[in-house]
Amino acid sequence: MEQYEPERRTEAPVAALRRGPGGARAALTRRSLLRASAGGALAVGALGTLSACGIPAAGRTQGGSASADHSAKEKVVDFSNWPEYIDVDDSGKHHPTLETFAEQTGIQVKYTEDINDNNEFFGKIKPQLAAGQDTGRDIIVLTDWLAARVIRLGWVQKLDPSNLPHAFANLAGQFRAPQWDPGHAYSYPWQGVSTVIAFNKKALDGIEVKSVSDLLDNPKLKGRVGMLSEMRDSIGMTLLDMGKDPEKVTADDYDAAIARIQKAVDKGQIRRFTGNDYTSDLTKGDLAACLAWGGDVVQLQADNPDVDYLIPDAGYLTSTDCLLVPNKARHKANAERLIDFYYRPEQAAALAAYTYYVSPVDGVKPYLAKIDKAAADNPLILPDKATAARSHTFRMLGEKEEAAYEEKFAKLTGA
């Protein structure tokens, strides 16, 4: 009997090739599915529907509501995640870490890859949460900006620290103090995502790139620069380059960053704003340099020695995808046991070896080195203290702020 249920899949394309030690890297990554999640009209529209439906504004703190927990009698946990965001064996049918959890705890995991877009998924579960109903899910994975919103809405349950000893002890310092969830009362990171500068050495042909300013200003790169269609990444990296802190961004700072990028757009410096599809242009050399996500860069480097990356002296952006327990979930304690399971370094290592995103767990390196030594030594997967110290996050935005910021960014990118 299967110990989880992987059959309930979305129509999102499944990667043709599996990532793994010594194997080829998949074309599909977690971030390739995220592009529409917080951008342009979709995000503005999703924000607007909250008050229209009589749902309390996201800035109003309510606190999650507890419900009857059936964990003791029902040895199951329903886990909704993004496609290609957990370890898979060579057959493509088994998730080894989930099977290990089931063997050790007797709790079966119903694992569903039904999150393709933050706002789309939010729209799917919003009516049930707003009505105080069970979504049928015990764990969901949302990107930090949306995690902050559902916490403010009071739609997720407060976690029981007594069920999370490994998570409390092993959470990496870089992820310990999110301003939107003090003390991780409601969430824990699943994986981190770093935004850096990637480049094709052959396409650069000796041109020096060390900063976002080089991307935006060097005339030798005209038409061969890429920026990201994710607002927080492109604006955040530009703010850092301007000496501004994205964690304290003001309206004036934001407008200055928009103007800075607009100037580069107007003179033809930027080839295009991209989602994950920059990987093809970068590999071919159509993009000489661009903003990129660390997990993608690690995968590209395995197949193309011309691809490399740098972290600017000004620093880099990190975002997180977060584990949360929705209100009315039937198996809260089981969900907390699964969250805690992934904060055991050996399990976190198995996950990191497949996803190549930033592990939020301390103590992973010796375990990961046994699986993939190159991954264990890569600061894009396991940041050392110096690298982690250069990491910044984008400030959580209020509802009206987010709508205004996204509208300005959509005009900039032509979305």
Side-chain angles (χ1 to χ4, degrees), residues 289-366:
C290 62
L291 296 184
W293 294 300
D296 293 344
V297 176
V298 176
Q299 293 170 43
L300 292 175
Q301 285 180 313
D303 297 320
N304 188 334
D306 289 327
V307 173
D308 207 345
Y309 78 97
L310 65 91
I311 295 175
D313 289 341
Y316 67 103
L317 262 289
T318 297
S319 58
T320 53
D321 292 324
C322 306
L323 299 155
L324 305 106
V325 179
N327 284 355
K328 301 298 181 179
R330 287 182 63 87
H331 313 108
K332 178 174 181 283
N334 291 346
E336 289 165 340
R337 290 187 69 180
L338 183 59
I339 293 171
D340 195 63
F341 172 81
Y342 279 102
Y343 274 81
R344 298 178 182 179
E346 62 271 28
Q347 307 306 333
L351 183 62
Y354 185 83
T355 68
Y356 279 172
Y357 290 107
V358 180
S359 175
V361 181
D362 270 341
V364 165
K365 188 165 186 173

Side-chain angles (χ1 to χ4, degrees), residues 143-164:
T143 304
D144 47 22
W145 61 268
L146 183 54
R149 189 188 303 170
V150 296
I151 290 171
R152 292 196 301 267
L153 284 165
W155 287 352
V156 292
Q157 297 191 52
K158 194 170 186 178
L159 301 174
D160 183 350
S162 67
N163 290 331
L164 297 159

Side-chain angles (χ1 to χ4, degrees), residues 249-291:
V249 59
T250 65
D252 288 344
D253 293 339
Y254 187 86
D255 288 346
I258 287 283
R260 177 92 171 84
I261 301 172
Q262 185 68 60
K263 183 179 178 181
V265 170
D266 292 343
K267 65 184 180 183
Q269 186 77 3
I270 297 174
R271 182 182 181 89
R272 63 192 184 104
F273 291 83
T274 71
N276 179 261
D277 49 328
Y278 66 80
T279 56
S280 175
D281 286 348
L282 184 64
T283 299
K284 292 185 295 184
D286 292 340
L287 286 176
C290 62
L291 296 184

Side-chain angles (χ1 to χ4, degrees), residues 93-249:
K93 297 180 179 180
H94 300 272
H95 302 301
T97 55
L98 292 183
E99 294 192 346
T100 299
F101 175 77
E103 291 167 0
Q104 292 182 359
T105 65
I107 300 170
Q108 307 301 310
V109 182
K110 295 178 68 176
Y111 186 72
T112 310
E113 296 178 325
D114 62 344
I115 306 176
N116 289 306
D117 172 279
N118 278 296
N119 275 325
E120 177 188 10
F121 183 71
F122 180 62
K124 184 188 301 184
I125 63 175
K126 177 176 62 178
Q128 295 163 300
L129 291 172
Q133 298 171 353
D134 181 11
T135 66
R137 301 166 177 87
D138 300 308
I139 301 178
I140 57 177
V141 180
L142 303 178
T143 304
D144 47 22
W145 61 268
L146 183 54
R149 189 188 303 170
V150 296
I151 290 171
R152 292 196 301 267
L153 284 165
W155 287 352
V156 292
Q157 297 191 52
K158 194 170 186 178
L159 301 174
D160 183 350
S162 67
N163 290 331
L164 297 159
H166 295 95
F168 179 81
N170 296 331
L171 179 62
Q174 181 180 353
F175 300 94
R176 279 195 173 270
Q179 59 182 217
W180 49 272
D181 185 16
H184 286 283
Y186 294 92
S187 71
Y188 269 91
W190 174 246
Q191 300 279 267
V193 183
S194 298
T195 304
V196 297
I197 293 176
F199 55 89
N200 184 310
K201 289 179 282 189
K202 185 175 181 180
L204 283 179
D205 192 25
I207 300 172
E208 188 175 66
V209 172
K210 291 186 176 181
S211 67
V212 172
S213 285
D214 291 332
L215 298 182
L216 298 179
D217 297 333
N218 191 331
K220 295 180 180 179
L221 296 177
K222 183 177 180 178
R224 297 193 295 145
V225 168
M227 298 287 278
L228 291 168
S229 55
E230 176 75 13
M231 178 271 285
R232 288 164 176 79
D233 291 311
S234 287
I235 296 296
M237 290 292 284
T238 302
L239 286 168
L240 287 172
D241 187 74
M242 297 168 64
K244 302 291 185 179
D245 186 351
E247 297 172 56
K248 300 176 181 178
V249 59

